[in-house]
Amino acid sequence: MPFTDPVVILCLFILTLIFMLWLKSGWDSTYKNFPPGPNPLPLIGNLHILDLKRPSKTLIELSKKYGSVFSFQMGLKKVIVLTGYQTVVDALVHNADQFAERPVIPIFEIISNGKGIIFAHDENWKVMRRFTITTLRDFGMGKRTIEDKIIEESESLIECFKSHKGDPFDNIMIINAAVSNIIVSITIGHRFQYEDSTFLRLISLINENMRLAGSPTVMLYNLYPVLGFLPGNHKTILQNTKELNAFVKATFVEHLKQLDKNDQRSLIDTFLVKQQEEKSNPQSYFHDENLTKVITNLFTAGSETTSTTLRWGLLLMMKYPLIQKKVQEEIAKVIGSAQPRTEHQKQMPYTDAVIHEVQRVANILPMSLPRETTVDVNFKGHVIPKGSYIIPLLESVLHDKTQFENPEEFYPQHFLDSEGKFLKKEAFMPFSAGRRICLGETLAKMELFLFFTSLLQEFTFCPPPGVTHVDLTPQVGFTTCPKPYMICAMQR
Ligand code: HEM
């Protein structure tokens, strides 16, 4: 019987309804102090009140009524939302182990199959995370080796910007390519030319997946995976993932041919050496599937996030020319015409504050990545059962009124004291916190400082002639991206 048969659809509907009623009579009544939340409707739960394009906005509104720990029925799934700096820190940092898991999310299970790092579970996650952090450090993350790579890359990026001779252009692919080259050179061992067709294809596959993963139809697929047989964006994501995986596999097969244990040139080489060392262990996590997923995880997490932040940075500089000018004055004072290096950062509080404020306002992962509780947790007067789907609402931390005086404005003074010195804010959490905190934080921060200062040393950014309004409305996607925009890079 085909799945599109109306009888099958009706049966599925009834089954889901029964499941829903079972669920409704579940946790809320079993656990006396289960977090409060709006009353759900059968089947759809609270989806009718959720802005599917900007779900974080609805959740922030609800926290005003239900408090900083509340429940929300996403279709068949009960989720617990944590809002505000204090609550998110109490959960992710002070109860780190209890909130350390990732839930099973249908689209990411298709992509990762529980392997790699980002959507991996239990021991597989621990082993792959530990291996990746150690190897990234060995290849120079946070050190001069990577700094030199970023500087070399920013020179290529500047040349590319210059070639537009001040005419308007769209910077998405160029910035993406420059940023991707850093993680690609660590994982694969070489950089690509910006016009390389394979490289451009990989970037567009990653970008398309990021955009589609946050689309309302994929959100619905995650909530009702039984409807997966219907056409939709999840099918495109699956197709793109197959192509990405095939590229990674072909790459490591090439590396295997020339593998030299004493001359490991990339993360792939180090993984393959480890794989050979553990050959006789059938329980080893160093298998081909984990290699493929770790590499695709790093490509995806390590390129789109940082390049999206940089693109927000340039857009905000166009919007606020006086702030741009002040950054350029500080660059002139501290660096002059020399090459920007990380050691300059501590002498440049204003630029540092602007970059932090760009990240705060860009808010590129407003709902972070979901977590799952590993045990029943007594938390702030509530019981959160083991296996609960947790949303740590980073947007509510980055916009917490108790931590930032003008949360809705672009206001670099948030990160400056009265003497103009850099002011560290604990609520600055775009990389999240706790056991699953972004493992690329050091790399991303170095990239943001070096690319941003190098570009502003060389150019002044402004909107195309005749454009008077710089639009900061974000585009719908898994990460919060600016809408595509045209920019003029005027050489200084
Ligand atoms: C501006 C840039 C970036 C931002 C804002 C960002 C943000 C985040 C956030 C919010 C998470 C979720 C953490 C959690 O669940 O608590 C995350 C996870 C992750 N990020 Fe980043 N990230 C950035 C750049 C990078 C880079 C450059 C890399 C690669 C080297 C990277 C690799 C990862 C990985 C592998 C995870 C999963 C960690 C785990 O599950 O253990 N990220 N990131």
Side-chain angles (χ1 to χ4, degrees), residues 92 102 117-118 125 129 136 183 298 301-302 305-306 309 359 364-365 368-369 371 394 430-433 435-440 443-444 447-448:
L92 302 192
R102 286 261 189 257
I117 313 164
I118 309 182
W125 163 70
R129 183 174 166 109
L136 287 178
I183 194 70
L298 290 176
T305 46
T306 315
T309 309
Q359 281 207 269
I364 66 163
L365 280 166
S368 189
L369 297 179
R371 298 287 191 92
L394 290 186
F431 299 99
S432 183
R435 295 273 181 270
R436 293 257 182 178
I437 189 172
C438 173
L439 64 72
L443 177 62
E447 289 179 354
L448 289 176

Side-chain angles (χ1 to χ4, degrees), residues 438-469:
C438 173
L439 64 72
E441 178 176 358
T442 321
L443 177 62
K445 282 181 167 167
M446 193 188 256
E447 289 179 354
L448 289 176
F449 178 75
L450 292 173
F451 279 125
F452 189 72
T453 44
S454 305
L455 287 173
L456 286 179
Q457 183 185 45
E458 198 65 36
F459 305 102
T460 295
F461 294 98
C462 54
V467 175
T468 49
H469 172 67

